[in-house]
Amino acid sequence: MPFMYILECSDRSLYVGSTWDLDRRLSQHNEGEGAEYTRHRLPVRLLYSEYYSRIENAFLREKQVQRWGR
């Protein structure tokens, strides 16, 4: 199932992403196998997620949220 998600990193910064498998992706981030940004800010925790019927919509939402200010 496609998701857009927001993580809080150990330095309290935020990371926005999209994925097919939210549980697997969260594990990847916390194991240092996720994005370069989160790799240096472990651990991360899930703050928010939205479900979409298509991955394209989750990706578009990710890009929209990334343009927001903190």
Side-chain angles (χ1 to χ4, degrees):
M1 298 186 298
F3 289 90
M4 182 281 300
Y5 61 94
I6 301 174
L7 302 177
E8 181 180 44
C9 300
S10 62
D11 65 358
R12 300 193 42 98
S13 64
L14 301 177
Y15 176 83
V16 180
S18 56
T19 185
W20 281 100
D21 185 337
L22 188 57
D23 292 331
R24 181 180 61 83
R25 189 65 174 144
L26 185 56
S27 293
Q28 287 175 325
H29 280 295
N30 275 313
E31 292 168 5
E33 299 170 0
E36 180 76 22
Y37 186 85
T38 59
R39 231 175 269 162
H40 304 289
R41 293 167 173 84
L42 297 175
V44 299
R45 72 181 181 102
L46 182 65
L47 287 183
Y48 180 78
S49 66
E50 294 177 352
Y51 165 76
Y52 290 87
S53 59
R54 299 180 57 188
I55 191 68
E56 295 85 1
N57 295 341
F59 180 76
L60 289 172
R61 179 67 166 156
E62 170 191 344
K63 296 305 171 191
Q64 178 186 38
V65 172
Q66 286 174 341
R67 289 190 302 268
W68 294 353
R70 184 175 169 99

